Amino acid sequence: MRRLVLLGLLGLGVNGCVVDPPGGGTDQLEKPLCPDLVISDLSRSPSQSLSVGTASSALSSSSTTAQPVLVRFRSQAGMRSAAALRQREDTLQKAGGRLKYHWPSLDAAALSLTPEAQARLAQDPDVLSITPDRTVHALGLPSRVPVSALASVPETPAVPSEYTWSVRMTQANAVWDSNDDGAFDPDAPNGSGITVCVVDSGIDRDHPELKAAYVKGKDYIDDDEDPEDKDASGVWGGGHGTHVAGTILAQLGSGGQVDLNDSNLSPNGMVGVAPGARLLVARVLDERGDGRTSDVIEALKWCREQSANIVSLSLGSSTPDPVEEQTFQELWDAGILSVAASGNSGDATPYRPMYPAAYSTVIAVGAVKPDMTHASYSQGGEHLSLVAPGTGVYSTYPRGNSPFASLEAGGAFYRSSSFDYVPFEEYEGTLVDCGLGASMRSCLGASVTCDGFVAYVDRGDIRFNEKVKNVRSQGARAVIIGNNDPSDDETLGFTLGGPAEWPPVTAIPTTSVPAIRAQIGKTVRVGIRGGDYAYSSGTSMATPHVAGVAALVWSANRGLSNASVRRILESTAKDLVDPVGSPDSTVGKDPVFGHGLVQAKAAVEQAYRELP
């Protein structure tokens, strides 16, 4: 199952060049048959993206001059009594601050202060430091659309399986299904009894793969108990947290809607690394994938209060924060294991750590590709602990929000591919031959009316977006583009270049062109449906694999400490050496792969050996 996306081509077919028709383009004397359907500009806002990248814009600043900050106090004997804490809060309020959180155990608080108020407060001898409440970002790679392919991935078994290539690479299925029969082995560890707290962008908690494992949530963006990845108007965000949660504990046999064009996918979806684990969700990232350090700190405390065993964080910032670092130390001291993404800025050197991954009490996770080589985006360094699958990872996505093409003709379903920026719509109508779609008079036949039809267009000569504009102006309510390059048949990952009021547009492989052309003059149904799964890449996707394997190890031996689980994961990892592109890759621990690729079967076997 090879997968590739062709983005950034501004709608060009990959045919080597673009040929303008005589006259420098569409004849300026032509008038559209259907003026109301003319696509005149690219003004519509794009749909939500699959994953959120490190380049996300910062959170909007307050309309006032007050700035979010973290204040650290000097630790003094007796300063945690109720009276002393009230005194500290009075000090903050007198400084003009709007108190957000107060953490007595950390001798710290989060609030908003003007620069002038910060300067005054800094003069208080009890104040140790005042630092920005820095922005943190989701660490999935940016993707403009929920594409079904970001990289080549290994072939799946002959029978479509819920066991994705990434789950198999971690050996997770070998732990709870040793004979590979699609069912849990009796008494095999599957994460049962272990609670994982996902600190992220929230989830679709009613997703069929997640709702059985979901226990409780907290939303620090909307300040409520419902950690759904939605904005105030109910529009779904980037799906980052849903993808992460599914990688950890998606359920066996509890599938949602899969892309009907991909014969390698199981109709039951996919299964996570530790499907028996329990799920807590703390939403600290908004729908753009941005959040504040103060909310991360508060969420970590909540995870501890809810008796989490493992905390998974696919987020980070390029700068450390002393209050955050102290919080992770508290979690470690309480026996909780924290796992975080190493970042997507690439390279092991120069040393550019991301936090919290680089704190000593956190397992830092980098990413590898399906061939077990270094993913070029994955950050490394001496702090790197482990690597896990991170490129082209298939997992859960908010229900109905991952687009896939649907083409039915002559009573049969044909494989096709969705273009980006097209709407979730379906249209049934007469199929009309529009040739190359090179002009506003390219569609032929009595069915060409403003009442609507489905346009068949051959690839070639001009840009895809121009073809769609031309046939749309003649009344087309949906468009099928026939591929002319067999080398692209496997992927068909084409783009229209930007957002606009596009109709549903799909592409078909060269092998299907004769069959579809045979339907010209007949009724076909074409459109874009919404699936419940998507592919994504980044160290964000690698991190939950390690969190899931940690849950398997702990469920195999509940007597282990968090330090023992970490030691076992690192000591049983598969040592990797990248043959090309990673000069820092060496035998043994290195800044490219850390201790190596996390291996569930070997780690669980070691956990068994340490049973009392």
Side-chain angles (χ1 to χ4, degrees):
M1 182 170 59
R2 292 178 54 81
R3 300 188 173 278
L4 177 70
V5 64
L6 304 177
L7 295 180
L9 299 180
L10 296 178
L12 291 176
V14 188
N15 48 356
C17 62
V18 179
V19 180
D20 289 327
T26 301
D27 189 343
Q28 298 301 311
L29 298 177
E30 283 186 338
K31 301 294 183 182
L33 296 177
C34 310
D36 292 341
L37 296 181
V38 171
I39 301 173
S40 59
D41 57 44
L42 304 180
S43 60
R44 189 180 60 148
S45 297
S47 60
Q48 297 293 332
S49 63
L50 164 70
S51 59
V52 185
T54 57
S56 300
S57 59
L59 293 178
S60 300
S61 59
S62 171
S63 59
T64 70
T65 56
Q67 301 166 346
V69 296
L70 300 181
V71 177
R72 295 174 68 207
F73 297 98
R74 300 183 191 280
S75 181
Q76 300 177 25
M79 285 305 292
R80 290 180 183 170
S81 66
L85 296 177
R86 283 196 299 272
Q87 180 181 338
R88 281 185 172 174
E89 291 182 2
D90 288 343
T91 298
L92 296 173
Q93 291 173 353
K94 288 177 181 178
R98 296 191 300 275
L99 187 64
K100 183 179 182 181
Y101 302 120
H102 186 191
W103 305 298
S105 68
L106 298 172
D107 290 309
L111 67 158
S112 295
L113 289 171
T114 64
E116 294 79 8
Q118 293 178 46
R120 290 194 301 270
L121 185 61
Q123 301 304 311
D124 191 316
D126 190 32
V127 173
L128 180 61
S129 67
I130 301 175
T131 57
D133 186 357
R134 77 202 202 299
T135 304
V136 296
H137 305 284
L139 296 178
L141 291 176
S143 176
R144 295 184 302 181
V145 291
V147 295
S148 64
L150 293 175
S152 299
V153 299
E155 294 293 333
T156 57
V159 177
S161 172
E162 291 186 64
Y163 304 169
T164 63
W165 72 268
S166 62
V167 165
R168 291 180 181 276
M169 184 179 284
T170 65
Q171 301 182 327
N173 60 298
V175 172
W176 33 258
D177 183 10
S178 59
N179 60 357
D180 207 28
D181 66 352
F184 289 135
D185 296 341
D187 301 321
N190 60 15
S192 178
I194 303 302
T195 302
V196 182
C197 192
V198 173
V199 180
D200 208 289
S201 66
I203 65 166
D204 176 359
R205 59 185 177 83
D206 290 324
H207 196 290
E209 299 278 16
L210 303 177
K211 61 183 180 180
Y214 177 75
V215 176
K216 193 174 184 180
K218 184 75 173 178
D219 190 330
Y220 293 94
I221 301 300
D222 294 336
D223 193 24
D224 58 33
E225 309 298 316
D226 186 1
E228 284 197 315
D229 180 15
K230 291 182 178 179
D231 65 15
S233 63
V235 176
W236 284 101
H240 189 266
T242 300
H243 198 278
V244 166
T247 301
I248 298 173
L249 42 63
Q251 305 294 289
L252 187 63
S254 300
Q257 176 64 62
V258 302
D259 185 345
L260 300 178
N261 295 288
D262 196 334
S263 60
N264 291 294
L265 299 179
S266 166
N268 287 323
M270 44 78 64
V271 65
V273 173
R278 295 186 296 259
L279 175 64
L280 296 170
V281 178
R283 183 186 180 215
V284 300
L285 303 177
D286 62 21
E287 64 276 6
R288 298 182 304 275
D290 298 332
R292 291 286 182 194
T293 300
S294 57
D295 290 328
V296 173
I297 293 171
E298 187 70 9
L300 294 173
K301 289 183 167 292
W302 178 81
C303 293
R304 179 180 175 182
E305 292 169 359
Q306 302 304 316
S307 301
N309 304 105
I310 300 166
V311 178
S312 181
L313 304 102
S314 291
L315 53 78
S317 171
S318 60
T319 59
D321 180 86
V323 181
E324 181 184 65
E325 183 174 17
Q326 187 178 348
T327 305
F328 279 101
Q329 183 66 57
E330 285 191 348
L331 292 188
W332 180 263
D333 294 341
I336 298 171
L337 188 67
S338 300
V339 185
S342 69
N344 299 334
S345 294
D347 299 331
T349 56
Y351 184 59
R352 291 179 295 188
M354 291 290 287
Y355 300 89
Y359 298 139
S360 62
T361 54
V362 178
I363 293 179
V365 182
V368 293
K369 297 185 292 186
D371 60 2
M372 297 188 192
T373 59
H374 173 65
S376 60
Y377 55 81
S378 180
Q379 284 173 248
E382 295 303 324
H383 69 288
L384 190 67
S385 174
L386 296 162
V387 292
T391 298
V393 173
Y394 183 67
S395 187
T396 47
Y397 194 73
R399 288 164 298 151
N401 281 269
S402 180
F404 68 89
S406 175
L407 172 58
E408 297 175 45
F413 183 93
Y414 288 85
R415 184 173 77 86
S416 60
S417 177
S418 168
F419 280 64
D420 60 351
Y421 303 114
V422 297
F424 286 88
E425 294 178 6
E426 290 192 73
Y427 178 78
E428 185 173 274
T430 302
L431 185 63
V432 171
D433 187 357
C434 294
L436 289 169
S439 75
M440 287 189 284
R441 295 293 186 274
S442 57
C443 300
L444 306 173
S447 298
V448 180
T449 72
C450 295
D451 292 334
F453 58 90
V454 177
Y456 173 80
V457 179
D458 285 312
R459 180 184 180 184
D461 285 5
I462 65 171
R463 294 175 173 87
F464 290 130
N465 52 13
E466 291 299 327
K467 293 174 182 287
V468 175
K469 288 180 181 180
N470 286 338
V471 299
R472 178 70 163 174
S473 72
Q474 298 169 72
R477 302 302 174 112
V479 183
I480 302 170
I481 294 181
N483 185 34
N484 63 2
D485 186 347
S487 67
D488 289 333
D489 275 352
E490 200 169 353
T491 56
L492 297 177
F494 303 134
T495 178
L496 291 173
E501 295 294 339
W502 303 113
V505 184
T506 68
I508 58 173
T510 58
T511 53
S512 297
V513 167
I516 296 301
R517 289 188 64 87
Q519 299 297 320
I520 288 173
K522 301 177 183 178
T523 299
V524 300
R525 187 172 185 84
V526 62
I528 311 301
R529 296 180 183 177
D532 303 341
Y533 304 86
Y535 289 86
S536 190
S537 296
T539 54
S540 276
M541 285 62 249
T543 300
H545 287 92
V546 173
V549 173
L552 295 180
V553 170
W554 230 331
S555 67
N557 184 347
R558 292 294 289 115
L560 294 171
S561 66
N562 57 347
S564 296
V565 173
R566 177 171 185 165
R567 171 181 51 78
I568 289 173
L569 293 177
E570 293 175 344
S571 65
T572 58
K574 180 182 179 66
D575 193 19
L576 298 178
V577 178
D578 201 344
V580 292
S582 300
D584 296 306
S585 171
T586 61
V587 175
K589 187 179 187 302
D590 62 48
V592 178
F593 298 113
H595 292 276
L597 175 67
V598 67
Q599 297 288 269
K601 186 173 185 293
V604 166
E605 288 173 352
Q606 180 60 38
Y608 280 144
R609 286 193 287 269
E610 297 188 19
L611 284 168

